[in-house]
């Protein structure tokens, strides 16, 4: 996985292909060792135009050549590129059969035709539905409950459906999907939980249920 926002400067092409000691860059060395691979160019639209020029030969001929004439073959690799283009014009994002025309129109307006024509398929994302968003929140809460500090003292976390729906509302953003959720959980659940445990020091082998009160605040209840 390469974060393409790191290849936006004037030296982007050089860093994309080489390390500081002029060896092939890390991702190229890994492709040479393991030709059958999946390469993810994350947020491809943030890369410098010179990187797109390099990728033209990657996507067309399945190879890349650096300034020293060293060739790397990528014909056995799967190339995946992600982009937020068009995301502001739809709801929160998730895998599925989404409004493809919006994304395709945005891609056609941003990428040069010769680059776009080398892409086999554009996979659109659709808005997260309520069921999926709730499942994501539940998964994150389950991860919090499994943290070592809680497990070590036998504190068992549970939560109400009301809490899950509240976190969907405050943690799922229509532009950024579920990305803000972890920050919201840390602020709304983990922080208050830590204060609660400090106020009830010595809790062991007890269940703690997390709920939402009438004012929208977090509340905790001890159970056996």
């Amino acid at each position: 996985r390469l974060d393409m926002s790191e290849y936006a400067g004037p030296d982007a092409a050089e860093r994309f292909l080489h390390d500081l000691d002029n060896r092939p860059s890390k991702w190229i060395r890994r492709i040479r060792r393991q030709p059958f691979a999946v390469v993810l160019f994350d947020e491809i639209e943030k890369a410098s135009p010179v990187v797109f020029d390099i990728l033209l030969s990657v996507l067309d001929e399945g190879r890349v050549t650096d300034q020293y004439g060293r060739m790397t073959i990528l014909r056995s690799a799967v190339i995946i590129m992600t982009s937020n283009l068009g995301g502001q014009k739809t709801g929160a994002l998730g895998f599925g059969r989404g409004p493809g025309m919006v994304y395709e129109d945005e891609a056609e307006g941003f990428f040069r035709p010769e680059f776009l024509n080398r892409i086999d398929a554009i996979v659109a994302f659709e808005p997260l539905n309520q069921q999926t968003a709730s499942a994501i929140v539940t998964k994150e809460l389950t991860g919090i409950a499994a943290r070592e500090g809680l497990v070590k003292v036998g504190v068992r976390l549970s939560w109400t459906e009301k809490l899950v729906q509240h976190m969907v509302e405050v943690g799922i953003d229509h532009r950024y999907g579920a990305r803000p959720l972890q920050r919201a959980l840390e602020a709304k659940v983990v922080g208050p939980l830590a204060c609660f445990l400090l106020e009830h020091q010595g809790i062991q082998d007890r269940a703690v249920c997390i709920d939402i009160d009438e004012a929208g605040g977090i509340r905790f209840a001890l159970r056996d």
Side-chain angles (χ1 to χ4, degrees), residues 87-115:
Q88 294 78 10
K89 298 184 178 180
T90 60
L93 303 181
F95 283 110
R97 296 172 58 191
M101 290 304 297
V102 173
Y103 297 98
E104 291 184 15
D105 289 346
E106 290 293 317
E108 290 175 359
F110 182 85
F111 297 111
R112 303 201 308 266
E114 61 268 29
F115 182 86

Side-chain angles (χ1 to χ4, degrees), residues 102-181:
V102 173
Y103 297 98
E104 291 184 15
D105 289 346
E106 290 293 317
E108 290 175 359
F110 182 85
F111 297 111
R112 303 201 308 266
E114 61 268 29
F115 182 86
L116 199 62
N117 288 337
R118 285 168 168 79
I119 298 174
D120 292 330
I122 296 177
V123 181
F125 286 65
E126 69 176 6
L128 291 172
N129 58 38
Q130 184 70 28
Q131 181 180 2
T132 302
S134 298
I136 293 172
V137 171
T138 301
K139 178 179 181 296
E140 293 295 327
L141 289 170
T142 301
I144 293 173
R147 291 187 179 183
E148 182 180 359
L150 297 175
V151 174
K152 187 175 181 179
V153 297
V155 171
R156 305 179 303 277
L157 289 187
S158 62
W159 47 85
T160 64
E161 183 62 25
K162 190 175 179 181
L163 174 72
V164 172
Q165 297 309 313
H166 177 74
M167 294 312 304
V168 167
E169 294 174 5
V170 301
I172 306 292
D173 186 271
H174 75 281
R175 294 169 299 173
Y176 305 114
R179 287 187 175 183
L181 178 60

Side-chain angles (χ1 to χ4, degrees), residues 76-91:
S76 298
V78 176
I79 306 295
I80 299 175
M81 297 174 285
T82 66
S83 172
N84 289 324
L85 292 172
Q88 294 78 10
K89 298 184 178 180
T90 60

Side-chain angles (χ1 to χ4, degrees), residues 158-219:
S158 62
W159 47 85
T160 64
E161 183 62 25
K162 190 175 179 181
L163 174 72
V164 172
Q165 297 309 313
H166 177 74
M167 294 312 304
V168 167
E169 294 174 5
V170 301
I172 306 292
D173 186 271
H174 75 281
R175 294 169 299 173
Y176 305 114
R179 287 187 175 183
L181 178 60
Q182 288 188 341
R183 294 193 299 271
L185 284 170
E186 290 292 330
K188 297 281 188 177
V189 176
V190 176
L193 175 62
C195 293
F196 175 82
L197 294 177
L198 284 173
E199 293 172 358
H200 298 78
Q201 294 189 30
I203 292 178
Q204 289 188 346
D205 300 320
R206 296 287 298 276
V208 177
C209 182
I210 312 174
D211 196 4
I212 296 293
D213 60 26
E214 292 73 13
I218 299 292
R219 65 183 177 188

